[in-house]
């Protein structure tokens, strides 16, 4: 039975709003379930509507996030938290890319397509570089800076190879004639869906608990970088941590716990890092729709859908920029 | 709630109280808590709290060379930190008084 069905009928809109706000990466689903059951039994005992008994659902959910949220859960649930989370992230990105490309093909109104080797190389290049970019991001979030660079460079080299091959082959090298559009659309969505299916099969593992000191420090440095901590502050943290380990007993993991969790616990209250993280995410969220808008303006693929698509993407970018600006972290003077 | 949980919740007040008498390094803060019957605190909890107190201006930190081994970071309470401690103590006393009135 769905948990939302256990709420009294009249309180379901309240419950839905509460669940939306409380469902954050740092709050585990077990903690949300337990808290929701507490609220439901309180409602049954009091026999009063939720808004009368608890007040605003957003406010109580925010308070619950503060109490129930942990850095361990946030790191564990992030795309860098393990193979399952990483694969889910990559699969979602690929599915989005595949489905949106398939929809673009649909707008052309052509139902059979000749597959040529040159364009296929470019498509495979884009697929490969997308996988590499998403994998590099999961490694960056997990604090593995070295591997991030290796995978990023590998992806770019692969893309360059595909472009070179496409240029060498040239246009007109026909592989298969008259492939039905539906088959191509399935082919485009398939890689992402397959990765998502594999992610489902991989069990979610607890965070790693065995660390050599050198590796712990490397991950800690990388994780601070991915959390937006400035170099001077990160160096000061590292120096303090090194001094702390000389004073205490045991290794870095014993004293400070998981390196990414520890880095996050330091970065959460770091105002400069918060502003930097906001800049990164806002720039990305605004740049992507605007860039797509520009690319579509040069494309002939969209037919009659070109102008509506451009307007939609442009408005999305502007609305995101406005919303993001309104939620920017305040700069604190020290 | 366990002693460790109470300690975690009231950690900023405990740290400021320890630093009120004299400046200490991180391990020294943990040792001072153990000396009065509290539990030792791992760096995972202690250090982020010290960083936050420092960012809030409640404490300041300086590096001091150690007699042997690497330099140590020594924390001292500041003027705003003493004000913050007074406020926290007042809140704690009010809470304790109310709890005692309930027979706790």
């Amino acid at each position: 039975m769905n948990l939302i069905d256990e709420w009294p009928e009249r309180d379901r809109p309240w419950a839905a709003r509460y669940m939306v706000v409380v469902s954050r990466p740092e709050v585990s689903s077990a903690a949300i379930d337990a808290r929701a059951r507490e609220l439901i039994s309180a409602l049954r005992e009091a026999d009063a509507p939720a808004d009368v008994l608890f007040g605003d659902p957003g406010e109580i959910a925010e308070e619950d996030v503060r109490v129930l949220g942990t850095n361990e859960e946030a790191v564990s649930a992030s795309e860098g938290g393990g193979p399952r989370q990483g694969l889910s992230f990559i699969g979602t990105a690929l599915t989005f890319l595949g489905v949106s490309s398939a929809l673009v093909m649909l707008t052309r109104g052509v139902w059979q397509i000749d597959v040529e080797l040159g364009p296929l190389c470019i498509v495979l290049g884009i697929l490969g570089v997308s996988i590499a970019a998403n994998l590099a991001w999961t490694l960056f979030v997990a604090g593995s800076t070295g591997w991030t660079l290796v995978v990023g460079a590998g992806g770019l080299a692969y893309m360059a190879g595909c472009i070179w091959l496409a240029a060498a082959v040239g246009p007109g090298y026909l592989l298969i004639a008259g492939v039905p559009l539906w088959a191509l659309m399935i082919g485009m969505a398939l890689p992402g869906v397959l990765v998502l299916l594999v992610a489902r099969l991989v069990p979610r593992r607890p965070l790693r608990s065995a660390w050599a000191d050198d590796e712990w420090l490397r991950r800690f440095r990388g994780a601070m970088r991915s959390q937006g901590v400035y170099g001077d502050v990160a160096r000061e943290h590292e120096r303090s941590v090194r001094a702390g380990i000389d004073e205490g007993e045991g290794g870095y993991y014993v004293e400070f716990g998981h390196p990414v969790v520890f880095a996050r616990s330091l970065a959460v209250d770091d105002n400069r890092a918060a502003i930097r993280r906001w800049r990164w995410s806002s720039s990305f969220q605004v740049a992507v729709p605007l860039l797509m808008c520009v690319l579509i303006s040069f494309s002939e693929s969209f037919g009659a859908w070109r102008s509506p698509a451009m307007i939609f993407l442009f408005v999305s970018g502007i609305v995101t920029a406005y919303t993001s600006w309104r939620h920017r972290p305040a700069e604190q003077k020290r | 709630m366990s002693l460790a949980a109470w300690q975690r919740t009231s950690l900023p007040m405990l740290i400021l109280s320890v630093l009120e008498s004299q400046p200490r390094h991180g391990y020294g803060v943990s040792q001072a808590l153990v000396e009065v019957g509290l539990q030792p605190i791992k760096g995972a909890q202690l250090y982020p709290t010290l960083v936050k107190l420092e960012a809030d201006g409640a404490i300041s930190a300086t590096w001091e060379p150690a007699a042997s081994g690497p330099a140590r970071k020594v924390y001292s309470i500041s003027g705003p930190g003493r004000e913050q401690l007074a406020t926290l103590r007042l809140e704690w006393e009010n809470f304790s008084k109310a709890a005692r009135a309930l027979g706790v």
Side-chain angles (χ1 to χ4, degrees):
Chain A
M1 190 176 170
N2 193 335
L3 189 60
I4 204 84
D5 296 332
E6 292 183 29
W7 290 80
E9 186 85 37
R10 67 178 175 216
D11 295 321
R12 283 185 195 164
W14 190 98
R17 170 91 182 111
Y18 170 82
M19 295 302 261
V20 165
V21 180
V22 84
S23 298
R24 302 263 184 89
E26 62 264 40
V27 189
S28 70
S29 51
I32 294 175
D33 274 15
R35 178 66 175 140
R37 285 182 208 288
E38 257 179 33
L39 295 174
I40 291 167
S41 49
L43 281 174
R44 287 196 183 128
E45 262 178 46
D47 195 22
D51 52 354
V52 173
L53 198 58
F54 305 129
D56 181 64
E59 277 177 27
I60 194 168
E62 290 286 357
E63 181 58 29
D64 283 350
V65 169
R66 271 192 291 278
V67 175
L68 303 173
T70 64
N71 288 315
E72 284 83 357
E73 184 59 29
V75 170
S76 178
S78 72
E79 48 272 39
R84 181 189 171 100
Q85 298 87 320
L87 285 170
S88 297
F89 173 71
I90 294 168
T92 306
L94 290 183
T95 305
F96 175 77
L97 186 69
V99 169
S100 49
S101 305
L103 289 176
V104 169
M105 292 183 79
L106 200 62
T107 60
R108 296 172 71 180
V110 180
W111 308 111
Q112 288 199 327
I113 293 170
D114 294 340
V115 177
E116 292 180 7
L117 184 57
L120 184 65
C121 286
I122 299 292
V123 168
L124 291 177
I126 291 171
L127 179 66
V129 87
S130 303
I131 292 172
N134 287 294
L135 181 59
W137 175 252
T138 64
L139 291 165
F140 182 62
V141 170
S144 300
T145 314
W147 281 110
T148 304
L149 294 173
V150 169
V151 171
L156 289 176
Y158 171 77
M159 182 71 194
C162 288
I163 291 172
W164 174 82
L165 193 61
V169 169
Y173 193 106
L174 188 65
L175 277 184
I176 315 168
V179 178
L181 181 65
W182 61 264
L184 276 181
M185 287 174 74
I186 290 173
M188 286 177 150
L190 204 58
V193 174
L194 281 178
V195 175
L196 282 176
L197 284 175
V198 172
R200 285 246 162 212
L201 297 174
V202 176
R204 184 171 164 176
R205 298 195 192 118
L207 290 174
R208 188 174 147 189
S209 59
W211 294 87
D213 281 353
D214 283 356
E215 197 184 5
W216 191 98
L217 271 177
R218 264 201 310 277
R219 281 295 188 94
F220 176 56
R221 259 181 243 130
M224 281 195 290
R225 211 171 283 134
S226 72
Q227 294 283 340
V229 177
Y230 279 83
D232 57 332
V233 180
R235 279 189 292 278
E236 177 70 11
H237 284 325
E238 187 180 337
R239 191 180 174 198
S240 303
V241 161
R242 281 178 186 273
I245 213 71
D246 289 328
E247 292 160 1
E249 295 160 358
Y252 288 107
Y253 180 76
V254 172
E255 188 61 29
F256 299 104
H258 193 282
V260 184
V261 174
F262 185 56
R264 189 179 191 276
S265 68
L266 295 173
V268 160
D269 292 318
D270 184 336
N271 180 244
R272 285 170 72 207
I275 292 171
R276 204 182 203 188
R277 288 195 300 274
W278 170 79
R279 279 190 195 132
W280 287 349
S281 66
S282 305
S283 307
F284 181 77
Q285 287 168 19
V286 173
V288 167
L290 294 182
L291 185 67
M292 284 169 71
C293 178
V294 172
L295 290 176
I296 287 173
S297 72
F298 292 113
S299 168
E300 298 296 327
S301 302
F302 284 78
W305 289 92
R306 190 161 78 162
S307 298
M310 282 176 62
I311 291 168
F312 173 76
L313 289 167
F314 181 75
V315 171
S316 297
I318 299 301
V319 168
T320 307
Y322 174 72
T323 314
S324 188
W325 181 254
R326 282 195 62 188
H327 291 97
R328 70 191 183 282
E331 199 164 339
Q332 287 168 7
K333 297 270 186 292
R334 284 189 66 183
Chain B
M1 197 150 86
S2 66
L3 179 62
W6 281 107
Q7 202 170 306
R8 225 179 2 255
T9 310
S10 54
L11 194 55
M13 182 176 70
L14 296 175
I15 291 173
L16 291 174
S17 299
V18 167
L19 296 178
E20 191 185 25
S21 56
Q22 65 174 94
R24 287 174 194 261
H25 53 88
Y27 189 57
V29 172
S30 180
Q31 276 181 322
L33 296 179
V34 174
E35 278 164 18
V36 295
L38 294 170
Q39 295 189 345
I41 298 179
K42 291 283 181 195
Q45 282 167 21
L46 181 64
Y47 186 63
T49 312
L50 286 169
V51 168
K52 176 140 181 34
L53 286 170
E54 194 185 348
D56 293 344
I59 61 173
S60 59
T62 50
W63 285 97
E64 285 185 1
S68 64
R72 293 189 309 188
K73 198 172 192 181
V74 176
Y75 299 93
S76 322
I77 193 166
S78 65
R82 286 180 197 281
E83 285 170 25
Q84 190 179 333
L85 179 59
T87 308
L88 288 169
R89 274 188 178 140
L90 188 64
E91 286 171 1
W92 179 262
E93 275 161 25
N94 288 340
F95 173 77
S96 305
K97 214 182 286 175
R100 272 196 299 277
L102 289 170
V104 176

